[in-house]
Amino acid sequence: MYKENTISVVIPAYNEAGFIGEVLESVPSYVDRVYVVDDGSTDSTWEEIQAHATTVTESADGSVVQFDQRIVPIRHVENRGVGGAIKTGYLRARDDEIDITAVMGGDGQMDPDRLPNLLDPIVDGRADYVKANRLSRPENRRSMPPFRYVGNVILTFLTKIASGYWGISDPQNGYTAISLDALERAPIEDMYEFYGYCNDLLAKLNVERLRVADVPVRSVYGDEKSHIRYQTYIPRVSAMLLRTFLWRLSATVRRDRSNPVPLFYLTGAAGVLGGVSQFVRNLLVSRDDDSDSGRALTGVLAGSVSLLVAMLWETRLNRDLSVTEDTRWNEREDQDRSGD
């Protein structure tokens, strides 16, 4: 337990032989359950998981814990994607009524010593979902490979629009913690199963008006190999974000018909698309009609203004749903460094 809360960790693993055993050993002793999900690996990941799965009846301080089995190995016969593996772990944690469930990667990139930074905002009642943020401090950004950083910045902006959480950053970061209440309220069963699941989950949390906190962390880049193929990742995640955005607008209207944001978004998109299509038609038919060009330009400008109003209005409406933990993190990190 951690501060009177039961804690579980979900670890998705796909072809992580050589890494997963060390990750399991690094999980802090206060974690009550570890749901390690082998997502259809083709190497010896499952055997390595089984070799490290032990049954314990006492915690590190000798007190009896709530669960007999600390490490719970779960195996997908077929690969479903990292989101599918995490979904499986989330559902098991929800069924077991774990107070807080964190997610750690099976490749060792997430520092287990920083897990309390993700748990504390939920324990203290400041947030329902906490995510790590690698972009908040210059040294964190410099440690990230350049191609990851550029892609992250682009997806951050797209996710702000799709999710409605304008105060968050680095939404692709999978080092997270979620409360039992959030797991019960959000439609976890419908969570996206490919890379991009965490972006999709943010939109689901927003519809339920749940608070999300950003906590700065440092990631570790070692000998692990990324399973992301960017030629498929970018189109699939972009299409998912569009679907998620439209779903969220629809859910927002159902929840609150007086909310003007969806109308501004739809009106703005219609204006921009209408104006652009008019420009294209003029070019295709080689027309030089000032009135047509004027209407096209007016449509684009009016649509752009409407989109900007929607974003600003939503930023104001959702400002209380984004929690910043930078100050507390900086104080704790400085203390850690002074003690080294």
Side-chain angles (χ1 to χ4, degrees), residues 133-279:
N133 178 6
R134 297 162 293 183
L135 304 182
S136 61
R137 302 182 68 180
E139 58 267 33
N140 295 346
R141 295 192 290 269
R142 286 194 295 267
S143 68
M144 184 180 295
F147 71 96
R148 291 193 185 188
Y149 177 71
V150 173
N152 201 319
V153 170
I154 294 172
L155 283 176
T156 291
F157 177 69
L158 295 177
T159 302
K160 287 175 184 286
I161 298 174
S163 71
Y165 287 108
W166 287 88
I168 58 95
S169 187
D170 192 19
Q172 294 75 246
N173 199 309
Y175 200 2
T176 64
I178 189 170
S179 69
L180 177 60
D181 179 59
L183 280 181
E184 291 176 337
R185 290 170 59 183
I188 299 300
E189 291 85 354
D190 299 329
M191 195 171 77
Y192 188 62
E193 296 195 350
F194 186 61
Y195 290 105
Y197 70 91
C198 39
N199 311 67
D200 174 67
L201 179 58
L202 284 170
K204 291 175 169 51
L205 297 173
N206 184 276
V207 168
E208 296 299 325
R209 309 299 293 169
L210 294 165
R211 295 161 299 166
V212 173
D214 255 357
V215 173
V217 298
R218 289 169 294 184
S219 290
V220 180
Y221 298 105
D223 298 328
E224 68 284 342
K225 295 182 179 179
S226 174
H227 301 297
I228 297 177
R229 293 182 175 87
Y230 285 91
Q231 64 269 30
T232 57
Y233 171 77
I234 293 176
R236 288 182 66 174
V237 172
S238 298
M240 179 274 295
L241 287 174
L242 177 59
R243 293 193 303 270
T244 297
F245 173 63
L246 295 175
W247 171 84
R248 185 176 67 83
L249 290 186
S250 176
T252 299
V253 171
R254 291 195 299 270
R255 186 189 68 234
D256 181 9
R257 293 185 179 275
S258 65
N259 190 327
V261 170
L263 179 61
F264 277 111
Y265 268 127
L266 295 177
T267 301
V272 171
L273 292 176
V276 170
S277 63
Q278 182 64 54
F279 275 124

Side-chain angles (χ1 to χ4, degrees), residues 12 20 30 38 42 90 122 167 169 219 279 281 307 323 329:
I20 189 61
Y30 56 78
D38 177 5
T42 57
Y90 273 166
I122 298 177
S169 187
S219 290
F279 275 124
R281 285 196 299 270
L307 291 175
V323 181
W329 163 267

Side-chain angles (χ1 to χ4, degrees), residues 9-36:
V9 170
V10 175
I11 302 178
Y14 176 68
N15 289 348
E16 299 293 358
F19 295 101
I20 189 61
E22 184 176 346
V23 171
L24 290 174
E25 292 176 357
S26 72
V27 176
S29 61
Y30 56 78
V31 173
D32 299 279
R33 274 206 156 163
V34 180
Y35 302 99
V36 53

Side-chain angles (χ1 to χ4, degrees), residues 2 7-9 27-28 30-31 100-104 110-121 130 175-177 215 217 329 332:
Y2 179 81
I7 307 296
S8 69
V9 170
V27 176
Y30 56 78
V31 173
I100 306 174
T101 298
V103 174
M104 296 177 61
M110 300 172 183
D111 186 355
D113 292 338
R114 300 302 181 186
L115 183 56
N117 295 85
L118 278 74
L119 301 177
D120 284 341
V130 183
Y175 200 2
T176 64
V215 173
V217 298
W329 163 267
R332 176 173 292 175

